[in-house]
Amino acid sequence: MKYSLPKLSAKNKLAFDWFPTRAQCFIYRNWGIVTPVRMAEVLGTTEDIIKGMAADMGLEPEPEVLPDWNTRGYITIIRNNWHLLDYSQLCTLLGWDEEQLAYILKEDDFLSVKLGRIKPDTGPLMLETLDTAKINMTKKIRDITLSVRKKLPAPKARPFDFFSDIETIGICNNNAVATAFKYRIIYSYCAIYGDTFIDKDLIDLSFPDEMLAAYCNLGINGIWTQAVLSKLAPYPFDMSLSEGFDKRLDGVNYLIDKLNRYGIKLYLYINEPRSMPEGFFDDHPGIKGEPDGSGNNCLCVSTQEVQDYLRDSIAYIVRNAPGLGGFITITASENPTNCYSHVKNDFGASCPRCARKKKSEVLALVNRLICEGAHAAKPEIKVFAYTWAWKTLELTEEISKLLPDKVGLICVSEHGVEKEIGGVKTHVIDYSMSIEGPGEFAVKTWQSAKGNRHEALAKVQVNNTWEMASVPFIPVLKRVYDHIKRLIELDNLDGLMLSWTLGGYPSPALQLTNEMSRYKPRELPDFSSMVKELFPDYDEVLLSDAFTAFSDAFDNFPFSLGVAYRAPLQCAPANLLYRENPNIKATMVCYPYNDLNSWRDIFPIEVFTLQLEKIISGWEAGMNKLWTIPHSSSKIMQLIYDCAEAFYLHIRSMYNQVKFLSIDNNDTEREQYIDDEYSVAMQLLEIIGRNPMIGYESSNHYFYTRSNLLEKIINLSYLKKQFD
């Protein structure tokens, strides 16, 4: 295999004792997202048996299974079954071979890291004969499921139906009015992160016309999307890895032409050169660089062969996709690339060539090679270097001085901002709206960039962050207003990178940002006046008060990157609870498990709990104001209601689970939190039945489905019975 699968481990195996058998758990949680035929193939049985087992548990007899689940919901399928199926069965379920699965796990936004870097050794899943106790347990599940289904209104929305009923947002074409920011770049709300360019149908799903029209009206003039060089240009070290590159380049040009109709440029985000498995270097020992700790090694950019590869591949892409807007690079991300991508200190690399160099030299070299290749083919094309994980101002300044002046710098606005929360000092690396920028690090980085003749862009999140990615936007518009106002007042920025993979929905927050950018720094209206511009048919005082209450409540968020990545923020209402903690470590925005210590990170449990209580209380005050505003006739107002309520339910659920896990030997007290978890799950089931955006994020797909929330209710009922 060209790519390796995560190693199997006997550790981290989960029990799902609220089902009589694991096969029943498999059917229940995949109902509606995988066809009964495919499930039967996995279990080596017939479709009729699968349907009969589903009926015995109270599930709908003929679920509509959209093909979208396999094209743009496959991460949800993988996450649902990682603890249930072995690799062979997982591939059967997806209709893939192991090579494709291994590629997706490595290259689809480092999915294997999110899943925990290892695969629980589940063994093959088998059907089991039910004894009397298991039959009775199955009947209980059926009764609960039927009861819940009877209480819920019929779903009105289908998963993935994000834009068919979108209400026009924005009031102008993106070229009609001057803006404070030359570049306004965003990631598509529904882009498929994997091998999108291979299929024009996937491109159209990732970049639908309804969304692009909304972006145009919101002043967006750039879209960035992920690319892998070896998939778009001949890979000189192993041409088999480039199979289909010409077809993918056709896809790139197809997307360029599509975006051009809306005045939008395409920027390819590249994280290169990609590390390769140890065996790859048997034929290429001269380019072997730093080991990455997971069986791969970097391609050393200090070698002439790798330098030529980077430069020539970029040039090849630009020559064959001449309408490309540019490239956005990252050189120190979670993905290991160059020999210093994961090495902290100067002269700290074990690679004998790079050990003689400073970190700044190597990171600058990667960007210089990319710039040289791009400008050799098209002198006016843009190259932006994202400073993420350039952890010190000294390092950033050194790199800035070494870069060609045609390379712009993108810096996270809130990077390095410090805050004391409940007496605990914390700071931001990225992904915060509860702690606003710009901070000193970003301001000095932009000043350094301008001083070295680079363009300077601010990376911001105005819709959502990993503080809550399960809603398309968090309605904390006062915080967005304050942040964008300060950026405009700096009066030295060339543009905004408006989102990472999360945060691309055409929302009132993006509209607010666009409207504000029309004003000169000293002419910006106050927040209430901006709300009046955005919502002329509603009482701006009431709306401003509601948005301000939400913003004030969000100020209490116990932020650290550990909390944002590992707490059950994205999936709390579906996160399964155990009476006895399985003691498995939470993973990055994927599996929080019951790992309370990782959830709270740097915060003592008392502080963490209190901050959640403050958010809940403050958010309820905002909801009380919002509920006085009519919304039934406005799709945008309904979106605001849904986002506000879903955010509230997620935080309330996380609070319930924190209390549940922190209470020792008092099942009676624990039961009250189980009861409220049931209420949360029921309310959220109703919301996702009308709003397909809730629970979705493009690089993780759906964090939970209707079946996951139903399983949570089964899980809660099982827990209560244990307490009897």
Side-chain angles (χ1 to χ4, degrees), residues 656 670-680 716 720:
N656 288 337
R670 277 178 154 189
E671 279 198 58
Q672 66 176 302
Y673 299 108
I674 291 177
D675 291 341
D676 197 56
E677 278 292 89
Y678 172 85
S679 176
V680 165
L716 296 171
K720 284 199 72 169

Short mmCIF file of all heavy atoms in Angstrom, two decimals, residues 656 670-680 716 720:
data_model
loop_
_atom_site.label_atom_id
_atom_site.label_comp_id
_atom_site.label_asym_id
_atom_site.label_seq_id
_atom_site.Cartn_x
_atom_site.Cartn_y
_atom_site.Cartn_z
N ASN A 656 -24.42 19.34 31.87
CA ASN A 656 -25.01 18.13 32.47
C ASN A 656 -23.97 17.03 32.60
O ASN A 656 -23.89 16.34 33.63
CB ASN A 656 -26.16 17.62 31.59
CG ASN A 656 -27.39 18.50 31.66
OD1 ASN A 656 -27.59 19.24 32.62
ND2 ASN A 656 -28.22 18.43 30.63
N ARG A 670 -27.17 12.19 40.20
CA ARG A 670 -26.82 12.02 38.79
C ARG A 670 -28.07 11.94 37.91
O ARG A 670 -28.06 12.40 36.76
CB ARG A 670 -26.00 10.74 38.60
CG ARG A 670 -24.52 10.87 38.90
CD ARG A 670 -23.84 9.52 38.71
NE ARG A 670 -22.43 9.67 38.37
CZ ARG A 670 -21.64 8.67 38.00
NH1 ARG A 670 -22.14 7.44 37.91
NH2 ARG A 670 -20.38 8.88 37.69
N GLU A 671 -29.15 11.39 38.45
CA GLU A 671 -30.36 11.17 37.65
C GLU A 671 -30.95 12.47 37.13
O GLU A 671 -31.51 12.51 36.03
CB GLU A 671 -31.41 10.41 38.46
CG GLU A 671 -31.18 8.92 38.51
CD GLU A 671 -32.42 8.15 38.92
OE1 GLU A 671 -33.45 8.28 38.24
OE2 GLU A 671 -32.36 7.43 39.93
N GLN A 672 -30.83 13.57 37.90
CA GLN A 672 -31.41 14.83 37.42
C GLN A 672 -30.72 15.31 36.15
O GLN A 672 -31.35 15.91 35.27
CB GLN A 672 -31.32 15.90 38.51
CG GLN A 672 -29.91 16.33 38.86
CD GLN A 672 -29.88 17.47 39.88
OE1 GLN A 672 -30.45 18.53 39.65
NE2 GLN A 672 -29.23 17.23 41.01
N TYR A 673 -29.42 15.02 36.02
CA TYR A 673 -28.70 15.43 34.82
C TYR A 673 -29.01 14.49 33.65
O TYR A 673 -29.03 14.93 32.49
CB TYR A 673 -27.20 15.50 35.12
CG TYR A 673 -26.90 16.51 36.20
CD1 TYR A 673 -26.51 16.10 37.48
CD2 TYR A 673 -27.09 17.87 35.97
CE1 TYR A 673 -26.28 17.03 38.48
CE2 TYR A 673 -26.86 18.80 36.96
CZ TYR A 673 -26.46 18.38 38.22
OH TYR A 673 -26.24 19.31 39.21
N ILE A 674 -29.29 13.23 33.96
CA ILE A 674 -29.74 12.32 32.92
C ILE A 674 -31.09 12.78 32.37
O ILE A 674 -31.31 12.81 31.15
CB ILE A 674 -29.85 10.88 33.46
CG1 ILE A 674 -28.46 10.33 33.76
CG2 ILE A 674 -30.56 9.98 32.46
CD1 ILE A 674 -28.48 8.94 34.38
N ASP A 675 -31.98 13.19 33.25
CA ASP A 675 -33.30 13.66 32.83
C ASP A 675 -33.18 14.89 31.94
O ASP A 675 -33.89 15.02 30.93
CB ASP A 675 -34.18 13.97 34.04
CG ASP A 675 -34.58 12.72 34.81
OD1 ASP A 675 -34.51 11.62 34.22
OD2 ASP A 675 -34.94 12.84 35.99
N ASP A 676 -32.29 15.80 32.30
CA ASP A 676 -32.14 17.00 31.47
C ASP A 676 -31.46 16.67 30.15
O ASP A 676 -31.76 17.30 29.13
CB ASP A 676 -31.35 18.08 32.22
CG ASP A 676 -31.53 19.45 31.57
OD1 ASP A 676 -32.69 19.88 31.43
OD2 ASP A 676 -30.52 20.06 31.16
N GLU A 677 -30.57 15.70 30.15
CA GLU A 677 -29.96 15.26 28.89
C GLU A 677 -31.04 14.72 27.94
O GLU A 677 -30.97 14.95 26.72
CB GLU A 677 -28.92 14.17 29.14
CG GLU A 677 -27.56 14.68 29.56
CD GLU A 677 -26.87 15.42 28.44
OE1 GLU A 677 -27.08 16.64 28.33
OE2 GLU A 677 -26.13 14.80 27.65
N TYR A 678 -32.00 14.02 28.48
CA TYR A 678 -33.11 13.53 27.66
C TYR A 678 -33.85 14.72 27.03
O TYR A 678 -34.16 14.73 25.83
CB TYR A 678 -34.07 12.70 28.51
CG TYR A 678 -35.35 12.31 27.79
CD1 TYR A 678 -35.40 11.17 27.00
CD2 TYR A 678 -36.49 13.10 27.91
CE1 TYR A 678 -36.57 10.82 26.33
CE2 TYR A 678 -37.67 12.76 27.25
CZ TYR A 678 -37.70 11.62 26.46
OH TYR A 678 -38.86 11.29 25.80
N SER A 679 -34.13 15.73 27.82
CA SER A 679 -34.83 16.91 27.32
C SER A 679 -34.02 17.60 26.23
O SER A 679 -34.57 18.03 25.20
CB SER A 679 -35.10 17.88 28.48
OG SER A 679 -35.69 19.07 28.02
N VAL A 680 -32.72 17.72 26.44
CA VAL A 680 -31.84 18.35 25.44
C VAL A 680 -31.89 17.57 24.13
O VAL A 680 -32.04 18.15 23.04
CB VAL A 680 -30.39 18.42 25.96
CG1 VAL A 680 -29.42 18.73 24.82
CG2 VAL A 680 -30.27 19.48 27.05
N LEU A 716 -29.33 6.83 27.80
CA LEU A 716 -29.78 7.46 29.05
C LEU A 716 -30.76 6.57 29.79
O LEU A 716 -30.72 6.45 31.02
CB LEU A 716 -30.41 8.82 28.74
CG LEU A 716 -29.48 9.88 28.15
CD1 LEU A 716 -30.28 11.10 27.69
CD2 LEU A 716 -28.42 10.30 29.16
N LYS A 720 -30.35 5.03 33.61
CA LYS A 720 -31.35 5.19 34.68
C LYS A 720 -31.74 3.83 35.27
O LYS A 720 -31.92 3.70 36.48
CB LYS A 720 -32.59 5.91 34.14
CG LYS A 720 -32.39 7.41 33.95
CD LYS A 720 -33.70 8.15 33.87
CE LYS A 720 -34.39 8.21 35.21
NZ LYS A 720 -35.53 9.14 35.23
#
